Amino acid sequence: MRQAIGSVDSPFGIKPKIAVMLGFGLLILILMIDILSPDDYRFVLLYLFPAAIIALNAKSLKTVIAALIIAVLFENYFLFRDEYFPLYFTKIEILNISIRFLATLLILWLARSLRRSQLRVNLLANTDSLTGLWNRRWARIFIEQAIAALETAKQPFSVALIDVNDFKKINDLRGHVVGDQVLVIIAQLMMSFSSDKAVFFRLGGDEFLIVAPKLNEPEMKQLCGDIVATVNQAMKDAGYPVSLSIGVASYSEDTKSVSEILHDVDLEMYRNKTELKKYDQPNQ
């Protein structure tokens, strides 16, 4: 169970596409310097650095392979410039070419290994270990991105805070293991509504958050209504005496801080919870 958020694919704080373009640009720049320099100067080792930048940031293995091929060709360009052909390479030249190729291949492999490790660290740092949803830390970052998009591109967004009503009864009467199972089931049900327009987070305890870029208030309320109906029915069918309360806030003009936005939806959620209690009161 995993939602995709593009920024997590950038393990070193720079957009991958920009880093890859920078890497290829540096390869060409170094080649130009190599061509214009006297024959006594060679810049073979410098090609490793842009190739490593590409390997660290490229999502596609094909891009890494392309960087490897280009780097190796550039490293050996002076052989082709002087009209040397593989048929006439000496043993020393073949050995040198092989060493340069293996060194470049090793650097790129190490870079890819570092990328995988860093992505895993980023994923663990931003993921709730119980439900697999994104956690509070990433929620704040994602809301900040939504605020930035509103300021620059006037792209509206909506936020919803979800609270599980009577969840404490589950923990008190059936134990925390069952309580954890309920949270996992709720998370899985919410994930069925996940898309590029609705990203789900667990803030902690029995509180969840939805951030929906590009959704206005009516669209967000429709989405939340569908989620409430689905989860509440599933909980009833499973014999768990819990339901959801949701507070929704949408933003299209006024820019607020992350804390203010979370405060807005918190107030809306408790207003919704209070209305549900008033509705249920006559039936008690």
Side-chain angles (χ1 to χ4, degrees):
M1 180 173 60
R2 170 55 47 221
Q3 307 167 90
I5 301 181
S7 298
V8 179
D9 291 332
S10 177
F12 301 99
I14 183 172
K15 291 184 178 180
K17 289 184 179 180
I18 295 176
V20 170
M21 292 174 61
L22 175 64
F24 281 112
L26 287 174
L27 280 173
I28 296 173
L29 177 62
I30 295 171
L31 176 64
M32 297 303 297
I33 295 173
D34 214 356
I35 292 173
L36 297 174
S37 299
D39 290 343
D40 293 338
Y41 297 94
R42 293 273 75 86
F43 297 90
V44 173
L45 289 178
L46 294 183
Y47 293 108
L48 295 175
F49 294 101
I53 291 174
I54 295 170
L56 283 171
N57 291 276
K59 297 180 182 179
S60 171
L61 185 59
K62 293 181 180 178
T63 304
V64 179
I65 294 174
L68 173 64
I69 294 172
I70 292 172
V72 171
L73 289 175
F74 286 4
E75 288 168 355
N76 298 284
Y77 97 92
F78 54 89
L79 293 175
F80 302 104
R81 181 199 65 182
D82 296 334
E83 296 185 351
Y84 276 80
F85 296 97
L87 184 63
Y88 303 110
F89 285 168
T90 65
K91 292 182 178 179
I92 294 299
E93 289 168 344
I94 293 174
L95 178 62
N96 287 336
I97 292 173
S98 299
I99 291 174
R100 286 192 288 268
F101 172 77
L102 292 175
T104 305
L105 182 63
L106 176 62
I107 292 298
L108 266 60
W109 177 78
L110 290 173
R112 294 301 286 181
S113 298
L114 178 59
R115 171 184 167 82
R116 287 192 295 269
S117 297
Q118 190 60 47
L119 285 174
R120 179 171 176 78
V121 169
N122 287 359
L123 186 62
L124 291 174
N126 295 306
T127 302
D128 175 59
S129 59
L130 176 64
T131 63
L133 299 179
W134 300 112
N135 62 16
R136 176 184 288 270
R137 177 181 180 276
W138 189 248
R140 297 186 70 89
I141 294 173
F142 196 66
I143 294 175
E144 288 174 354
Q145 293 174 350
I147 293 173
L150 175 61
E151 292 176 342
T152 57
K154 305 302 179 183
Q155 179 177 295
F157 69 97
S158 296
V159 181
L161 181 65
I162 300 174
D163 182 76
V164 183
N165 301 319
D166 299 319
F167 180 71
K168 188 175 183 298
K169 293 180 180 179
I170 296 289
N171 284 333
D172 292 343
L173 299 177
R174 304 192 188 184
H176 289 275
V177 173
V178 176
D180 288 347
Q181 292 174 351
V182 170
L183 293 176
V184 171
I185 293 172
I186 291 174
Q188 291 173 341
L189 290 170
M190 289 192 297
M191 278 294 296
S192 65
F193 293 90
S194 179
S195 68
D196 59 344
K197 293 184 178 181
V199 182
F200 293 83
F201 307 82
R202 183 190 177 205
L203 298 185
D206 60 346
E207 286 191 336
F208 299 86
L209 189 76
I210 309 172
V211 182
K214 302 180 181 179
L215 289 190
N216 56 32
E217 188 169 355
E219 293 170 332
M220 186 63 163
K221 287 185 175 180
Q222 178 63 50
L223 172 65
C224 291
D226 293 341
I227 292 172
V228 169
T230 299
V231 173
N232 286 357
Q233 186 61 50
M235 293 296 101
K236 181 179 179 180
D237 294 343
Y240 297 125
V242 297
S243 60
L244 300 185
S245 290
I246 298 185
V248 177
S250 297
Y251 303 90
S252 58
E253 295 180 1
D254 296 334
T255 303
K256 295 189 175 184
S257 68
V258 176
S259 297
E260 289 174 326
I261 289 173
L262 292 177
H263 180 66
D264 287 347
V265 291
D266 189 52
L267 291 177
E268 288 297 322
M269 185 272 294
Y270 275 105
R271 189 175 293 117
N272 178 261
K273 185 185 287 285
T274 301
E275 291 176 356
L276 287 176
K277 288 182 178 179
K278 289 180 179 179
Y279 178 80
D280 293 338
Q281 192 70 34
N283 297 326
Q284 295 181 352

